[in-house]
Amino acid sequence: MVRACAVCGLPIPEGARFCPNCGASAGPLIDTEERKMVTVLFADLADSTGLAQRIDAERARELLGSFFDAASEELIALRGRPEKFIGDAVMAVFGLPHVHEDDALRAVRAGLAIRERVRRLAESIGLDQPLEVRIGIESGEAAVGRSPTGELLVTGLVVNMAARLQSAAQVGHVLVGHTTHLLTAPNVSYGRRRRIRAKGFDSVLEAYPVEEITARSVRRTIPFVGRASEQAIVGQSLGLASTNGRPVLVTVIGEAGIGKSRLADELAAGVSAAVMILRGQTRAHTDTATFSPAAAIIGDLASIGPGDDPATIRARLSELVDRIEGTPNSARTVQRLARLFGQGESRDETTFVHDVQAGFLSVIDGLARDHPVLIMFEDAHTLKAPMLDLIERLGVHGQGPRRALILTLARDELIEQRPTWGSSSDNSVLIRLDALSRDESVQLARHAGGGRIGDAEALEIAERAGGNPYFIIETTGMLMPSRDGADGQRSRRVPPSVQAVVSARLDAMPSRLRELARHASVFKYAFDLTELAVVDKEVTALELQELEDAEIVVRDPQPGEPQRWRLRHATLKEVVYASVAKRERVRLHELVAQFLMDREHRSLAADHLELGALASLDLDPGDRRLPDRAVDALLVAGDRARRRMESRTAIDRYERALAIAGPESRWGVREARILAGMGESYYWLADYPAATQALNRSVELGEAQADPFALALATRYLGDIAINFEGDVDKAERLLSRSLVAAEELGDSWAIVRSRLFAGWVPWTRQRFDEAEAIWQGTLALVDPKDYWARVRALTALSINRGDLDDPHGALQLIEEACALAEESGDQFSVANTSVQKGRVLDDLGRGEEALPWFDRGVSIFAEFGARWEMADARAARGIAKRNVGRLDEAEEDLRFAIRTAEELGDRQLPAWTWRNLAKVAELRGDKAAAEELLQRSRDAELRGPH
């Protein structure tokens, strides 16, 4: 059936949105998408006709534009949406795209703000008569739809009622309807009820003139001032990610209190209902401190609570993964995610970091494939390196669409610690939040004071605060003369710093609430009533509500969990905690630590024991009871991180343990093991000087204390450093022999296997391949079947050795077995190692083109892990393969990269044979002089190499 245009009558092609003849809409002008509860505001400039008669027409138009700008600014700051500008009036809607429980209150607040702003507008432009507005507000159900241009519009009785209330309002008054009055009566003071007869309505309308908003409500609806440009950037970034399917990493940097969290909150409050919002908040009940933000997101998505048993956790993770269509390897993904909650632990924890990152990325890709996702991380400067790596990986475009905005909030320390932050992302934005201007600061002080702060005080606060919004809000909170129930007699002096403001507010609180605030400050993250009762047995829900009213704590809702709270701001928490007596800190932190240990959260318990130990040492340096407990706990936490290849986290915990371990003259077995673990962690980060220093000190202590554990571990890594970076094979042989003896004395098969794996490289370096073969074959026979890491490395070492024994087919058979085991284990580092070796074997067999994808896979994984030495070795091998297939320019690029990286790391094995292979590239090009020069460099490198 052919449709005809309702305007011109000509036919409209099927599927057309507009008539090709007259341009009229081909469908309904407004489609209703949904019905929802909104609040509508009309603001009309009073006596605009008389004003137009008194001033020039151009000036009147400029004045009207200034009115619209001012009204829009105040509306947007309170999450209102200006919808229409009609003559000399503005219409706005609160509750689009999301309904909020305080929409009506925000509308009333906006009405009062517009009234005050318009009065100041008259003064600023020099009018001899004041400007006034009439404002009407009503709440009710409306039909929400889109215009032909895609703009959200509302229609319904509530719109007409708000317009009639505005017409009936007296000049300078804000008049609200019955429903808005019901929604806001506890928070707003109203005058006597009015009954008005309105055109189009059969019955009279009830109306209530606004007198003022209560101080408490003023403080809960402070507008967002001075960040319009930043809001536009993050909003556009979300739109970009949604449209093109490529993730955008937005990092917001600024000092404490500058408004980073508020910017994120305003973005979340204003996005479409189609956008999923995920908050990566650090929580106490997750299994890993390093990946706590990721665990919080997965926990929220799967509705996992802190008290859920392992079977429930796994069932809910399975349900989550099943809901996400297209998630590959669902069982593997569930297994990986379960590690965030303490499941699937084994002695070999080397795959932990990769498993967590891969599982999390798989979930996000499933969620963000078809719909936009907003992922927010706060205080990123406090996060550990693997979690930061994961956040950066979220911002990298993968194989499929990832419609995600990753919003990361941090202080300057993040960029200082990671200067290349965000460089791996195709779409990375850095926003630096600067201080508010003086005018913006004054405006915020006025808003935060709700009309109770005079202009002179607002200016003084603005100048003293240095443009920091948190300082402004805290100061106005202390100075407001009419906080609910206050007598208005408090001091009106503006404190010199935000710390002084918080201290003054704390001192003014009742002693019981002050004590409760101090008890709450010992928690690192959010807490519920049960947890707070651990340190304050008398606490009640009513007292927590009083702390909330006093702006000390805020609610921290977490899906499916009991109500939680946290201190409102990091600066406030620091000041409150600093006021806790040190002996009291000792008591409180011990209580929290025991509570956490009882629930198997040992890493977090170690943090609390450390804080208690620091206070204890200040009080009595000779009392070692709590410091020794803390050192023991930090050692356990460090070892766990080390086994999981969370190397930087491990080093951090080991260093903190040594800092409170007492004088070195008293160090013993415990400290020897701490240093051995620290040395291994530095080794995996390729920081060989730091590794050597820690490992040598561990050996000294291990020998003095006759501790085989420390000696087996420390001499193993010192031996590898001796071969590859000191070029001293004899020294390596001595060290690795000592490692094997210590491991056998320890009686630990895992330690024995690892020491033998390292020891095999001594005869291999000396080209005694039969001897190396015997060591590695014997090692393979000893390996625990569950020890995937050792089995893969033994097979890989044997494959390399078979190649040197001129048995390429045997080498291929061994490495294919190793590849299958690596894939089965899920350890991507092992996958990369075996891929590179398989590429080498295929190249040796003359199958160069077949070898290159294996090299590419290994290089890609090593690059992702930041494994520089392994990347250099892999690219050197790939360069040789590319040379063999005639891709000489690419070969030279790979080989030179390998040489440069190896020399930067101080490696003495790789450069010699890499220079030699680069010389062959020059020979193939016919450049004999260059080839001879490169061969000489190879000979020089051999002199410095292992001997």
Side-chain angles (χ1 to χ4, degrees):
M1 179 178 176
V2 178
R3 290 185 300 158
C5 174
V7 177
C8 68
L10 293 178
I12 299 174
E14 185 177 355
R17 294 178 59 199
F18 299 94
C19 174
N21 179 55
C22 69
S25 173
L29 289 180
I30 300 178
D31 288 325
T32 298
E33 294 182 356
E34 60 181 328
R35 301 174 70 89
K36 60 168 54 182
M37 186 76 171
V38 299
T39 299
V40 179
L41 177 150
F42 275 87
D44 172 72
L45 193 60
D47 193 29
S48 57
T49 302
L51 184 65
Q53 294 175 350
R54 296 194 299 273
I55 62 177
D56 183 79
E58 285 189 25
R59 193 178 183 203
R61 186 169 184 79
E62 291 169 357
L63 174 62
L64 193 59
S66 297
F67 163 62
F68 288 152
D69 289 342
S72 297
E73 187 176 319
E74 299 296 344
L75 290 163
I76 292 170
L78 282 156
R79 301 179 186 169
R81 180 188 288 261
E83 185 168 298
K84 293 180 183 177
F85 298 98
I86 313 161
D88 54 5
V90 58
M91 171 192 165
V93 182
F94 290 77
L96 295 180
H98 292 305
V99 174
H100 303 94
E101 62 180 15
D102 60 352
D103 282 333
L105 180 60
R106 287 179 177 273
V108 173
R109 178 85 193 262
L112 295 174
I114 291 170
R115 183 181 69 183
E116 297 306 314
R117 186 75 177 271
V118 168
R119 288 172 178 171
R120 292 198 301 274
L121 180 63
E123 297 173 8
S124 66
I125 61 178
L127 287 180
D128 54 2
Q129 293 183 342
L131 285 176
E132 291 286 359
V133 289
R134 285 191 295 262
I135 297 172
I137 303 171
E138 181 57 309
S139 306
E141 191 178 62
V144 181
R146 294 189 180 273
S147 70
T149 61
E151 186 180 16
L152 271 177
L153 297 175
V154 299
T155 56
L157 186 64
V158 64
V159 177
N160 296 333
M161 292 177 73
R164 299 296 181 263
L165 289 166
Q166 175 259 306
S167 299
Q170 297 177 14
V171 173
H173 282 212
V174 177
L175 201 60
V176 310
H178 174 71
T179 305
T180 299
H181 176 261
L182 286 176
L183 292 171
T184 60
N187 306 297
V188 180
S189 297
Y190 287 102
R192 293 180 61 185
R193 183 184 65 177
R194 290 179 54 193
R195 296 169 66 84
I196 61 175
R197 294 195 176 276
K199 182 179 178 182
F201 289 86
D202 295 334
S203 58
V204 297
L205 301 180
E206 291 186 0
Y208 301 83
V210 176
E211 292 184 343
E212 66 172 3
I213 298 180
T214 61
R216 175 179 164 190
S217 299
V218 164
R219 303 291 293 170
R220 292 186 173 183
T221 56
I222 297 173
F224 194 39
V225 172
R227 303 299 187 200
S229 298
E230 291 85 352
Q231 283 183 280
I233 291 171
V234 292
Q236 290 165 5
S237 298
L238 178 59
L240 179 65
S242 303
T243 302
N244 66 15
R246 301 177 73 87
V248 181
L249 173 62
V250 176
T251 306
V252 182
I253 299 291
E255 65 182 24
I258 204 66
K260 304 183 293 294
S261 297
R262 182 69 188 273
L263 178 65
D265 289 343
E266 293 299 318
L267 173 66
V271 298
S272 163
V275 178
M276 176 176 284
I277 300 172
L278 306 176
R279 296 179 183 269
Q281 297 172 316
T282 303
R283 294 181 189 167
H285 65 262
T286 55
D287 177 65
T288 164
T290 296
F291 289 109
S292 183
I297 287 174
I298 298 299
D300 288 346
L301 288 170
S303 300
I304 293 172
D308 288 341
D309 58 57
T312 301
I313 291 172
R314 189 167 286 271
R316 289 182 176 171
L317 289 173
S318 296
E319 292 170 4
L320 169 65
V321 173
D322 289 344
R323 286 202 311 266
I324 304 170
E325 294 182 10
T327 301
N329 304 316
S330 296
R332 172 63 62 83
T333 300
V334 171
Q335 182 179 351
R336 287 169 168 170
L337 294 175
R339 305 194 73 173
L340 288 167
F341 303 94
Q343 297 191 33
E345 281 198 66
S346 66
R347 186 167 180 184
D348 181 9
E349 286 279 276
T350 54
T351 65
F352 176 78
V353 170
H354 170 263
D355 280 351
V356 167
Q357 292 181 342
F360 186 79
L361 287 169
S362 179
V363 169
I364 297 301
D365 280 341
L367 293 171
R369 184 176 54 251
D370 300 317
H371 303 287
V373 176
L374 169 60
I375 313 171
M376 298 191 290
F377 298 98
E378 292 197 47
D379 295 327
H381 56 281
T382 66
L383 299 179
K384 305 297 184 185
M387 186 65 227
L388 292 174
D389 294 340
L390 176 55
I391 293 173
E392 286 198 283
R393 288 180 66 184
L394 286 169
V396 177
H397 183 55
Q399 295 180 345
R402 186 183 293 165
R403 306 178 193 281
L405 172 66
I406 302 95
L407 185 61
T408 307
L409 315 180
R411 299 186 193 176
D412 286 321
E413 292 96 298
L414 175 66
I415 305 302
E416 292 168 3
Q417 295 164 5
R418 297 174 70 117
T420 60
W421 173 258
S423 60
S424 59
S425 173
D426 296 332
N427 297 314
S428 179
V429 179
L430 179 67
I431 299 174
R432 186 172 296 278
L433 287 188
D434 295 320
L436 298 177
S437 68
R438 193 179 85 156
D439 288 347
E440 290 168 340
S441 298
V442 170
Q443 183 184 359
L444 179 58
R446 287 187 180 122
H447 279 306
R452 297 166 173 84
I453 299 292
D455 288 347
E457 279 182 321
L459 181 58
E460 184 182 359
I461 292 170
E463 291 176 343
R464 188 69 61 84
N468 185 293
Y470 178 69
F471 189 172
I472 294 168
I473 290 170
E474 287 298 304
T475 305
T476 53
M478 189 189 77
L479 295 180
M480 282 174 65
S482 185
R483 300 292 297 278
D484 300 332
D487 59 10
Q489 300 303 310
R490 68 179 66 186
S491 169
R492 302 286 288 180
R493 184 177 63 85
V494 177
S497 67
V498 68
Q499 288 80 7
V501 172
V502 175
S503 295
R505 290 189 56 212
L506 195 64
D507 288 344
M509 291 170 59
S511 60
R512 171 57 188 151
L513 289 185
R514 186 165 61 246
E515 177 188 45
L516 186 57
R518 287 171 174 158
H519 290 169
S521 72
V522 302
F523 288 93
K524 295 192 69 174
Y525 312 118
F527 52 86
D528 62 26
L529 190 59
T530 301
E531 291 164 342
L532 188 55
V534 171
V535 294
D536 193 313
K537 296 186 184 303
E538 306 301 322
V539 65
T540 66
L542 179 60
E543 287 176 327
L544 271 173
Q545 182 62 57
E546 290 175 347
L547 276 185
E548 189 177 346
D549 293 342
E551 301 178 26
I552 299 298
V553 301
V554 293
R555 292 173 185 260
D556 189 32
Q558 296 170 15
E561 296 184 26
Q563 180 59 58
R564 301 179 72 82
W565 290 263
R566 59 179 170 80
L567 268 71
R568 192 165 64 88
H569 194 275
T571 302
L572 184 146
K573 185 177 186 298
E574 290 166 7
V575 174
V576 176
Y577 182 77
S579 72
V580 180
K582 289 185 177 178
R583 201 166 301 281
E584 180 69 352
R585 292 184 203 177
V586 172
R587 185 183 74 85
L588 295 173
H589 283 300
E590 279 201 275
L591 287 171
V592 176
Q594 190 60 53
F595 176 81
L596 291 168
M597 282 192 287
D598 290 344
R599 285 153 181 78
E600 300 297 325
H601 300 313
R602 298 189 179 278
S603 294
L604 289 165
D607 294 339
H608 280 279
L609 287 171
E610 179 193 17
L611 290 169
L614 291 170
S616 174
L617 288 169
D618 286 345
L619 292 169
D620 183 359
D623 181 0
R624 294 294 311 168
R625 182 190 64 82
L626 188 55
D628 283 340
R629 281 190 68 197
V631 174
D632 291 343
L634 286 167
L635 169 57
V636 171
D639 283 347
R640 190 183 196 213
R642 171 175 59 83
R643 290 194 301 270
R644 290 177 161 187
M645 299 300 288
E646 299 178 42
S647 298
R648 291 187 179 88
T649 302
I651 291 168
D652 173 62
R653 295 193 182 280
Y654 289 139
E655 287 179 337
R656 286 157 50 195
L658 291 177
I660 57 175
E664 287 195 34
S665 59
R666 294 181 51 200
W667 285 6
V669 170
R670 180 181 64 189
E671 287 73 22
R673 296 184 177 191
I674 290 172
L675 287 161
M678 183 186 296
E680 180 190 343
S681 300
Y682 276 124
Y683 169 91
W684 290 115
L685 292 174
D687 188 346
Y688 302 112
T692 301
Q693 182 179 358
L695 293 168
N696 279 330
R697 184 72 176 108
S698 175
V699 170
E700 291 175 14
L701 289 171
E703 288 178 336
Q705 301 293 327
D707 178 37
F709 180 93
L711 288 171
L713 185 61
T715 53
R716 183 190 310 151
Y717 287 98
L718 282 171
D720 192 71
I721 290 171
I723 290 181
N724 291 304
F725 300 95
E726 296 174 5
D728 191 337
V729 183
D730 292 338
K731 179 181 177 181
E733 185 174 28
R734 293 192 300 272
L735 286 164
L736 290 167
S737 295
R738 289 171 70 190
S739 176
L740 186 54
V741 168
E744 289 172 343
E745 181 184 347
L746 190 64
D748 185 338
S749 62
W750 283 52
I752 293 169
V753 162
R754 280 153 178 75
S755 294
R756 287 179 62 94
L757 282 171
F758 278 63
W761 293 107
V762 171
W764 182 87
T765 303
R766 291 173 172 157
Q767 299 187 4
R768 293 174 0 206
F769 303 125
D770 289 335
E771 186 178 336
E773 180 84 6
I775 291 173
W776 285 326
Q777 285 286 3
T779 302
L780 189 59
L782 292 172
V783 174
D784 184 331
K786 296 180 181 179
D787 191 353
Y788 283 97
W789 185 93
R791 289 173 66 197
V792 168
R793 273 151 186 76
L795 288 165
T796 303
L798 285 166
S799 174
I800 293 170
N801 202 56
R802 288 291 176 86
D804 292 316
L805 288 169
D806 296 323
D807 181 10
H809 293 287
L812 182 60
Q813 183 179 354
L814 285 162
I815 199 59
E816 285 181 339
E817 184 180 351
C819 283
L821 277 173
E823 292 288 355
E824 184 181 344
S825 74
D827 176 8
Q828 290 300 293
F829 206 88
S830 295
V831 169
N833 271 323
T834 53
S835 296
V836 171
Q837 173 56 16
K838 185 168 182 178
R840 280 195 180 99
V841 175
L842 291 170
D843 187 45
D844 289 343
L845 289 167
R847 295 154 61 179
E849 291 293 349
E850 191 179 342
L852 289 177
W854 290 97
F855 285 123
D856 292 343
R857 187 183 189 193
V859 167
S860 174
I861 295 172
F862 286 139
E864 197 172 278
F865 277 102
R868 297 183 66 204
W869 187 90
E870 288 80 4
M871 175 106 104
D873 179 60
R875 288 192 64 171
R878 187 174 70 176
I880 294 168
K882 287 181 175 179
R883 181 201 66 199
N884 292 341
V885 297
R887 291 155 66 169
L888 301 184
D889 289 345
E890 294 177 29
E892 181 176 1
E893 181 183 350
D894 272 344
L895 291 166
R896 288 194 179 278
F897 174 90
I899 292 168
R900 184 170 62 252
T901 303
E903 290 178 343
E904 288 173 359
L905 292 173
D907 176 75
R908 296 195 182 192
Q909 275 218 37
L910 196 58
W913 66 269
T914 309
W915 282 118
R916 189 163 58 249
N917 281 285
L918 191 57
K920 292 181 181 179
V921 173
E923 285 179 10
L924 290 170
R925 286 175 169 156
D927 191 340
K928 293 183 178 179
E932 182 55 38
E933 179 186 347
L934 292 168
L935 282 171
Q936 183 57 49
R937 290 195 178 191
S938 174
R939 289 189 284 270
D940 292 342
E942 282 177 349
L943 293 175
R944 298 189 297 272
H947 56 274

